[in-house]
Each structure stands twice: as structure tokens, then as C-alpha cells.
Amino acid sequence: MMKMFWGIPVCLVCSLMLAQTHQHDHEGHEHGEKKPVEPPKIFLDKTLRIVQYQLSRLDNERLLLVERKTDDPKYAPVYSAILTRAGMSPQYREEALQGLVTINKSDASTELLKILESIDAADSQELRTGQQLAGLLLAQPKEELSQHTETLLAATKSDSNLYRAVGYAGLITADRAETALKQSQAGQSATLDFLQAIPLLPKPQLRSSLRESIIELLAEENPVPVRKEAIVALATVPKDQAETFQLLAPFLGNAELRIAAVRTMLKIPPKDRDPETSAALVAGLVDFAEQTPPAERTTDEFIDAMQFCDQLLAMVPVEQAREYRARLREITVRVVRIRTIEEEMRYDTPYFAVEAGRPVQVVLQNEDLMPHNLVITVNGALQEVAELGALVGPSPADVGK
């Protein structure tokens, strides 16, 4: 995450421009042509451990240059390395998966489950790769996944957090939701695994079909961790979002559940936010801001709450909103949080405006695998800066950046 502070003398609309550091055709246009990378020599006739070691020393570009064929099992480690490598493009993961299926005469679900079981979820890069592989698994036909019901059920009892969630998500995708729900009642840990599986489900209608089961877990008699995870899961359920907004509003008064509720309600479209409820929430959030110690006003939790408050102020009558803004101005800096959209080369915030003469904090949160740039220009300079940026082009010395 990158944080930047400015006292901006004029009202600006920030121009967001991003760049991808994958190898593109334009690489080498500046500072001369880049020398082509020679295919590395890998000794595939060695033991599996030695082959894996050789492959692990290659960057992604060189790994993709290693010879691979589907007519000999000796190429399987190459396909496995590509499939599990962090930062690999989806097209190459899919090609590698198909290569393993062909060599091993199996199916995609078998290969993916085998790899997912070995993912170290404690490693952030491996976890990210595992989540992408889980997406590939859950995209397989439900008829194929249903053939692996026993494996998926066993996965729900694994030592790996990710693999347990994948087990639940796989059962739901394979049309075994009742089996998943029954297994989720085995204890608090199982319930949490079930809830963490819901965001993994690629189909919105599947997530929506579980809405009532999630809502039941919001009941006061459930432990706080379960209620919190249920609130988080609701953020991915597109059904009845206006009702979800109303349902979660009371949780903003609960210190243990407030931030989970804020982050889920931030994802509910403005059209589904009731004005009367919004006004009441603004009053509570302003009070919360005033009661928060100064040292805690730069935390992610506080920033999220103030971003939500700022959005809701647009639904409050002008005079009332002006009074709230004046109170907030005494204790907070206006914060704009911008997040990247994974693998889409865009941000979740197309534009924003700030008050003239007031400081603003811009937080760029990049959870994508590729680096992104945020450029702030003076008013009217967007085209000039964009054209100059295009002329500079990537630098071979900076690996295409």
C-alpha cells in the first residue's frame, strides 16, 4: 500500500494511469532493442528434485521458454512449475493444466486438487497462487467436480485453511451444498471454513443461493468470529443488497463487528442504500470519529469508516451534511482510497473530487500481481502527461517498467 499526502490548492480530478510490466511488443522501443532471451538448458532426465531445482532458478520469462511436450512424462515438472508459479498469466496456467491432464491421463480437477493440497497458505505468494488455482478448479463442470465428492469432503478436514475452504466451495459448486452445510455444523472452525469458501465461488447465483444460511449465522447467540465472517461473506452476495444494507446497519454500533460491517456496506451500490438509514449511520460515524484517539485515526479501519461516511454524506440533506463535514474537518483529513481491479488494468475509482484548499490523503492499494502507477497532474494536463509517458516507454534496464 502506498500513502501520499498533499495540500492541494485547487480542486482537482486525479487522472489515474497504469502500466503493466509483463513483456509486451513495445518493449525495447526505447534505449535500443532488447536482446532475445535464449531458451535455458534444463536436464529433464535427472531426479524430480533436481529438475524442480533447475526450474525454480528461472524467472517466468525464461521458464516459459523451456521445451515442453505432452508425449513424455519427463515434461510434467515443467508444466507443474508453470501452473504453480506466482505471477503467471492465466493463459499459461491453463495450457500447463491441460498438459498435465494429457500426460497423466487424468482430469483438471484431479490435477488441481493435488496441487492445492500442497499449497502453503502461510506464504502470501503461494496463497495468492492457490486462490487463482482454486478459481480454475471451481470453473470446472459440476459433473466433473461431483466425481471428486469424497476428495472434496476430505479437504474440508485438512490442516490447510485454503484447502478446507476449497473443499467447501468445491462441494457447493458440485451441487452438494447440503453436504457442505451439514459438514459446516461440525464446530466453529468448520463454520468459519464454510463462510470463507463463499467468496471463492465464481458464480454469483451460487453465492446468492446461500444468503439465508449466511444470515442465520448473524444471530447474536453465535460467536463473534462467526458473525464477523458472515458479514464478510455477505459482501460477495449480490442478491437483495438493499435488504443487506438495512440488515447490517445496526452492526456499526458494535465495536467488534463495526469494521466488517463498514467494509461490506462499502460494496453495496449507492442505489441500494436507504437515505434515512444512511443519515442515521452518518451521525453514528461522526460520533465514532470524534471519540477515536488521534493516534488511531490513520489506521486502515478508521480510513475505511471515514470513506463510508463520506459516501453516505451525499445522501444527507445539504445543511446537515455541511454541519457533519465541519465536525469531521476538525479531526480528520479527507481520504480517497483507490484499489486495483485484479488482472483488469483498471482501478475501482474512475474519478474523485476534493474541496479547494483542503488537504487530501490518497491511498493506492494494489493487491494485483502486476505493479500499477498513479499519476497526479494539474488540471488540463492529462493528455500531455499521457502522451509524454507513452513516448518514454518501458526501460529494458528496469525489466520493462
Side-chain angles (χ1 to χ4, degrees), residues 216-277:
E216 287 176 8
L217 295 172
L218 294 174
E220 199 167 337
E221 61 267 21
N222 287 308
V224 168
V226 169
R227 300 171 76 197
K228 184 181 293 186
E229 204 63 50
I231 291 171
V232 171
L234 275 177
T236 66
V237 176
K239 182 182 177 183
D240 297 333
Q241 290 191 303
E243 184 181 320
T244 298
F245 184 82
Q246 297 288 76
L247 183 68
L248 294 183
F251 290 102
L252 265 68
N254 185 321
E256 293 180 295
L257 300 173
R258 179 185 295 117
I259 189 57
V262 162
R263 287 172 174 167
T264 291
M265 295 173 83
L266 271 168
K267 296 179 181 179
I268 295 176
K271 66 180 179 62
D272 291 323
R273 299 172 180 175
D274 174 68
E276 187 176 340
T277 303

Side-chain angles (χ1 to χ4, degrees), residues 245 262-271 273-275 278-279 281-282 285 303-316 321 325 328 334-339 348-352:
F245 184 82
V262 162
R263 287 172 174 167
T264 291
M265 295 173 83
L266 271 168
K267 296 179 181 179
I268 295 176
K271 66 180 179 62
R273 299 172 180 175
D274 174 68
S278 296
L281 291 176
V282 167
L285 286 167
I303 289 171
D304 283 336
M306 292 304 98
Q307 182 181 16
F308 185 45
C309 183
D310 186 65
Q311 292 181 8
L312 295 181
L313 277 167
M315 306 183 72
V316 174
R325 288 189 190 280
L328 289 172
R334 168 75 190 284
V335 175
V336 178
R337 170 168 275 147
I338 300 168
R339 292 183 173 88
D348 67 348
T349 305
Y351 67 89
F352 66 87

Side-chain angles (χ1 to χ4, degrees), residues 186-202:
Q188 180 175 319
S189 177
T191 303
L192 292 173
D193 293 332
F194 167 75
L195 289 168
Q196 289 163 5
I198 292 168
L200 296 177
L201 298 170

Side-chain angles (χ1 to χ4, degrees), residues 86-377:
M88 194 61 69
S89 297
Q91 70 189 77
Y92 294 118
R93 287 201 203 281
E94 291 170 10
E95 178 210 320
L97 176 59
Q98 190 53 52
L100 287 173
V101 168
T102 303
I103 288 173
N104 295 330
K105 297 180 174 58
S106 61
D107 58 49
S109 298
T110 296
E111 298 300 329
L112 289 165
L113 284 166
K114 191 190 312 177
I115 290 171
L116 281 163
E117 187 175 15
S118 65
I119 290 289
D120 180 7
D123 182 292
S124 58
Q125 273 201 330
E126 279 203 43
L127 174 61
R128 183 64 176 272
T129 302
Q131 289 169 337
Q132 293 178 334
L133 295 177
L136 274 177
L137 173 71
L138 299 172
Q140 302 310 310
K142 68 178 182 180
E143 294 78 15
E144 179 180 309
L145 282 170
S146 66
Q147 296 172 16
H148 298 274
T149 299
E150 292 304 316
T151 303
L152 292 167
L153 190 56
T156 65
K157 304 167 190 174
S158 165
D159 291 333
S160 164
N161 292 349
L162 174 63
Y163 198 47
R164 292 198 302 271
V166 166
Y168 280 103
L171 288 170
I172 296 165
T173 305
D175 209 13
R176 301 288 192 275
E178 289 302 318
T179 302
L181 283 166
K182 183 178 179 181
Q183 178 61 26
S184 74
Q185 295 165 6
Q188 180 175 319
S189 177
T191 303
L192 292 173
D193 293 332
F194 167 75
L195 289 168
Q196 289 163 5
I198 292 168
L200 296 177
L201 298 170
K203 294 183 178 179
Q205 60 268 32
L206 269 183
R207 300 195 297 272
S208 290
S209 70
L210 298 167
R211 186 173 184 275
E212 294 308 314
S213 298
I214 300 170
I215 290 174
E216 287 176 8
L217 295 172
L218 294 174
E220 199 167 337
E221 61 267 21
N222 287 308
V224 168
V226 169
R227 300 171 76 197
K228 184 181 293 186
E229 204 63 50
I231 291 171
V232 171
L234 275 177
T236 66
V237 176
K239 182 182 177 183
D240 297 333
Q241 290 191 303
E243 184 181 320
T244 298
F245 184 82
Q246 297 288 76
L247 183 68
L248 294 183
F251 290 102
L252 265 68
N254 185 321
E256 293 180 295
L257 300 173
R258 179 185 295 117
I259 189 57
V262 162
R263 287 172 174 167
T264 291
M265 295 173 83
L266 271 168
K267 296 179 181 179
I268 295 176
K271 66 180 179 62
D272 291 323
R273 299 172 180 175
D274 174 68
E276 187 176 340
T277 303
S278 296
L281 291 176
V282 167
L285 286 167
V286 172
D287 287 341
F288 162 70
E290 291 175 332
Q291 293 165 17
T292 300
E296 297 176 17
R297 292 176 188 163
T298 57
T299 63
D300 289 341
E301 291 80 2
F302 185 82
I303 289 171
D304 283 336
M306 292 304 98
Q307 182 181 16
F308 185 45
C309 183
D310 186 65
Q311 292 181 8
L312 295 181
L313 277 167
M315 306 183 72
V316 174
V318 175
E319 288 302 318
Q320 198 175 4
R322 187 176 290 122
E323 177 190 340
Y324 284 134
R325 288 189 190 280
R327 288 168 61 185
L328 289 172
R329 191 176 292 124
E330 296 298 318
I331 56 171
T332 66
V333 172
R334 168 75 190 284
V335 175
V336 178
R337 170 168 275 147
I338 300 168
R339 292 183 173 88
T340 55
I341 304 296
E342 186 177 355
E343 296 183 358
E344 291 192 22
M345 294 191 69
R346 65 186 180 92
Y347 296 125
D348 67 348
T349 305
Y351 67 89
F352 66 87
V354 298
E355 183 180 352
R358 302 297 306 181
V360 60
Q361 176 183 349
V362 178
V363 178
L364 174 60
Q365 187 168 334
N366 180 20
E367 297 177 350
D368 203 356
L369 289 170
M370 67 182 80
H372 291 264
N373 298 325
L374 183 144
V375 178
I376 295 181
T377 77

Side-chain angles (χ1 to χ4, degrees), residues 53-104:
Y53 174 75
Q54 294 176 80
L55 296 171
S56 71
R57 294 173 59 84
L58 303 176
D59 61 23
N60 287 9
E61 183 181 14
R62 287 167 59 79
L63 176 59
L64 289 172
L65 293 176
V66 176
E67 181 184 39
R68 52 191 186 272
K69 298 178 182 178
T70 58
D71 58 358
D72 192 322
K74 72 177 183 179
Y75 295 105
V78 182
Y79 286 116
S80 292
I82 293 171
L83 183 60
T84 58
R85 179 65 63 88
M88 194 61 69
S89 297
Q91 70 189 77
Y92 294 118
R93 287 201 203 281
E94 291 170 10
E95 178 210 320
L97 176 59
Q98 190 53 52
L100 287 173
V101 168
T102 303
I103 288 173
N104 295 330

